[in-house]
Amino acid sequence: LSLFLHLPGTSEEVAPPVQQCFMVPKKEINVVSDMAKWKRSQAYADYMGFILTLNEGVRGKKLTCEYKISEPIEKLVALLNTLDRWIDETPPVDQPSRFGNKAFRTWYAKLDQEAEKLVSAVIPKHLADAAPEVAVYLKESVGNSTRIDYGTGHEAAFAAFLCCLCKIGVLRVDDQMAIVFKVFNRYLEVMRKLQKTYRMEPAGSQGVWGLDDFQFLPFIWGSSQLIDHPSLEPRHFVDEKVVNENHKDFMFLECILFITEMKTGPFAEHSNQLWNISAVPSWSKVNQGLIRMYKAECLEKFPVIQHFKFGSLLPIQPVTS
C-alpha cells in the first residue's frame, strides 16, 4: 500500500518527503509504440494498484454500510456538489443537433477556470504546490469540451485524481470505503447528470460490444461488493425487480438501472456484454473477468491512453521497485 503516504494514526501534520517537485502533467503517449512505456511505467503500476486496493476495500460491503468519513472526503463531496450546481446554472441551449449540447462548453470553461481553486480547498496549506498538478486530472475527468463526449478515459482521469490525493497523503488507507462509496459514487451521479443534460456522446464506445457507453470502474467495484452475497447472483441483475429493490445498496445495480433508463429495447440487444456476464456463475468470477477486461479494453487501448497525462505523482518512468 505504498500509494497511501500515511498509515492511520499518524499525525495530520506529517509533511510528505521534501524532495517532491510537483509538475503540470503532460501527454507522453503519442504513437502506438509508446504503449509499452505506459505498461512499464510507475504510473500504470500505481494506478492499477489503486484500483485493486479499492476493489479489496469494498468487497462484500453495501453502499449503505457504516464507514469513516474524514474531512478531505467531505471536502471532495463539496467539490462535486459545486460541479453539480453549475449544471443547474448552465441549462442546455436550443440547437439543431440532438447530441452534444454546446452549453457543456460553457459549463466546462467554468471548471477549467476554477479547477485549481477547487483542488486547493481540498488539500492542506503545506501541499499547496500540488494543486496545479492534481487539478489537471480533475479537469480531464468530466469529458472533452471540443467533442462533447465522455468515456472510460475520462473516468480513469478521476481515479487518477483520487490516486494522486492518496500519494500526497490527503486521503488515507482508512478512507478506502469512503473513496468509492462517497466520492466516486457522487462523481458518478454528477457524470450521469452531465451525460443526460448535455446529451454527451460516448467516447470510443464499442456500441453493443462494449460493456457500457460511459463507465467501467463501478462495474468492477460493484461486482466486488456483491462477492459472497447470500442471495443475489449474477443472473439476478437482469431482473428488473431485483434491480429496483437493491440498487441503493450496490453500485453495479445502480449502473444497470441507469442503462435501462437511458436505453430502449431488450437488454440482451443493447447491452450484450453485460447480458453475457449475467451467465457467469459467481461474483468473484465476474470481478476477475472485469479486471482483465478493463486492462485489455481500456488501459491497453491507444485511443484511450493517448490522452492520459503524466507528472511527478503518476510518472511515465519505469517502475523502480
Side-chain angles (χ1 to χ4, degrees), residues 254-318:
E254 197 71 82
C255 290
I256 300 295
L257 186 69
F258 184 67
I259 292 171
T260 52
E261 274 174 19
M262 298 296 278
K263 299 199 166 185
T264 51
F267 192 88
E269 284 174 27
H270 63 62
S271 302
N272 192 264
Q273 283 279 20
L274 281 165
W275 178 260
N276 293 338
I277 285 170
S278 71
V280 175
S282 73
W283 285 111
S284 65
K285 284 267 188 294
V286 169
N287 186 246
Q288 290 160 8
L290 285 172
I291 290 165
R292 278 198 306 275
M293 186 178 170
Y294 184 59
K295 288 178 180 169
E297 297 302 323
C298 301
L299 301 186
E300 294 177 7
K301 287 281 187 277
F302 176 73
V304 177
I305 295 306
Q306 64 172 331
H307 303 292
F308 199 89
K309 304 238 166 90
F310 300 84
S312 75
L313 296 167
L314 289 169
I316 188 68
Q317 280 70 33

Side-chain angles (χ1 to χ4, degrees), residues 155-219:
E155 177 189 71
F158 192 74
F161 167 68
L162 296 172
C163 181
C164 287
L165 291 173
C166 291
K167 291 195 83 174
I168 60 174
V170 171
L171 296 172
R172 315 269 172 120
V173 178
D174 54 355
D175 286 318
Q176 280 180 62
M177 282 169 69
I179 289 171
V180 180
F181 292 170
K182 210 86 198 130
V183 181
F184 192 81
N185 206 40
R186 184 72 187 106
Y187 164 75
L188 282 178
E189 290 169 1
V190 178
M191 292 309 106
R192 286 174 185 142
K193 188 166 168 177
L194 276 180
Q195 289 151 18
K196 260 189 194 161
T197 306
Y198 304 122
R199 312 259 343 215
M200 298 177 78
E201 299 271 12
S205 163
Q206 298 159 312
V208 298
W209 306 113
L211 185 71
D212 176 73
D213 278 343
F214 298 111
Q215 313 297 157
F216 204 115
L217 292 173
F219 293 96

Side-chain angles (χ1 to χ4, degrees), residues 21-174:
C21 276
F22 297 105
M23 62 178 274
V24 175
K26 58 185 208 298
K27 201 167 139 52
E28 298 277 3
I29 308 298
N30 299 304
V31 288
V32 176
S33 57
D34 287 338
M35 289 296 286
K37 255 197 319 197
W38 153 242
K39 284 192 253 181
R40 279 197 302 267
S41 71
Q42 191 63 51
Y44 182 90
D46 287 349
Y47 179 85
M48 216 44 231
F50 181 66
I51 301 303
L52 295 174
T53 298
L54 295 175
N55 190 56
E56 281 308 303
V58 300
R59 189 185 175 121
K61 307 278 199 309
K62 290 182 178 182
L63 286 167
T64 47
C65 74
E66 294 272 310
Y67 49 85
K68 173 186 164 248
I69 298 169
S70 64
E71 196 185 337
I73 293 287
E74 303 259 18
K75 287 176 172 174
L76 283 165
V77 173
L79 182 159
L80 291 164
N81 291 344
T82 300
L83 301 189
D84 191 333
R85 194 183 72 243
W86 290 348
I87 302 174
D88 297 333
E89 293 166 6
T90 319
V93 293
D94 276 337
Q95 62 176 46
S97 60
R98 259 178 74 211
F99 286 94
N101 195 282
K102 291 181 176 60
F104 175 73
R105 292 180 182 149
T106 311
W107 179 89
Y108 185 86
K110 197 164 174 66
L111 172 61
D112 196 33
Q113 205 184 329
E114 303 284 328
E116 266 182 54
K117 208 188 320 179
L118 290 171
V119 170
S120 297
V122 176
I123 60 184
K125 292 277 180 286
H126 72 269
L127 289 168
D129 291 354
E133 175 162 351
V134 178
V136 166
Y137 295 104
L138 178 64
K139 287 193 283 193
E140 298 274 319
S141 75
V142 296
N144 181 285
S145 67
T146 310
R147 296 187 302 273
I148 314 183
D149 65 6
Y150 176 94
T152 49
H154 302 110
E155 177 189 71
F158 192 74
F161 167 68
L162 296 172
C163 181
C164 287
L165 291 173
C166 291
K167 291 195 83 174
I168 60 174
V170 171
L171 296 172
R172 315 269 172 120
V173 178
D174 54 355

